[in-house]
């Protein structure tokens, strides 16, 4: 059983292969990133609690939804003890239930891109800002998949920290700009 009160970098690899169900869609998680609160300058919580990031300081096992670039609704699972401000960004996954609904939400016909990347995953799951603070519904994996970790992508601070975790060669994992999927 995943202990969401553990640090985000401990929880992150345990999420790989687990299934998150939300708003009629289930996604098998294939890629996540850990954010370590005040010790991680890339974390939304690096400079302390604000009205925007308050959920990240609340009880673990809840969804932190935020607007990215004003258009995407990205989601994190809050981790570590309450007051810590840590979480795991949901970066990518494979839609395994609610596929037609995910296709309608995303407006694409490419199955592997349905939930590849945090904005696409959020749209496939139908995240809204009103979902911020919602307890998550997660079905744990039956067995641990092979996984790797490396530098995070899509950020400018502390990007070399090996806090991105993914299932290698999975077609739903994000690609670095100009490179094939990891």
């Amino acid at each position: 059983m995943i202990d969401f009160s553990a640090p985000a970098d401990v929880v992150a690899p345990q999420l790989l292969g687990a299934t998150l169900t939300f708003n009629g869609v289930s996604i098998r998680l294939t890629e996540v990133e850990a954010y370590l609160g005040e010790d991680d300058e890339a974390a939304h919580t690096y400079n302390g609690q604000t009205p925007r990031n308050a959920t990240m300081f609340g009880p673990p096992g809840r969804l932190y939804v935020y607007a990215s670039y004003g258009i995407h609704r990205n989601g994190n699972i809050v981790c570590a003890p309450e007051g810590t401000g840590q979480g795991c960004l949901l970066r990518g996954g494979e839609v395994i239930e609610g596929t037609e609904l995910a296709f309608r939400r995303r407006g694409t016909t490419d199955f592997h891109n349905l939930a590849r990347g945090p904005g696409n995953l959020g749209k496939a799951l139908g995240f809204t800002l009103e979902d911020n603070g919602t307890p998550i519904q997660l079905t744990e994996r039956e067995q641990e998949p092979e996984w790797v970790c490396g530098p995070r992508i899509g950020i400018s601070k502390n990007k070399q920290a090996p806090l991105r975790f993914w299932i290698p060669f999975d077609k739903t994992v994000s690609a670095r700009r100009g490179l094939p999927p990891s």
Side-chain angles (χ1 to χ4, degrees), residues 80-163:
E82 197 165 340
T84 307
Q86 294 189 29
C88 293
L89 173 65
L90 305 171
R91 282 205 57 87
E94 175 188 6
V95 176
I96 58 172
E97 287 183 27
T99 306
E100 291 306 314
L101 181 55
F103 274 122
R104 281 196 306 275
R105 287 176 178 157
R106 284 274 294 113
T108 183
T109 57
D110 184 344
F111 178 76
H112 297 298
N113 276 325
L114 272 177
R116 180 191 292 157
N120 293 337
L121 186 145
K123 194 165 188 176
L125 288 171
F127 287 164
T128 68
L129 295 178
E130 290 74 30
D131 295 320
N132 190 33
T134 304
I136 61 159
Q137 182 182 345
L138 189 79
T139 303
E140 295 190 36
R141 62 194 185 201
E142 293 181 17
Q143 62 183 27
E144 182 176 6
E146 177 185 350
W147 58 271
V148 294
C149 69
R152 295 181 288 199
I153 59 177
I155 59 172
S156 59
K157 296 178 181 176
N158 201 18
K159 62 184 175 182
Q160 293 306 315
L163 295 172

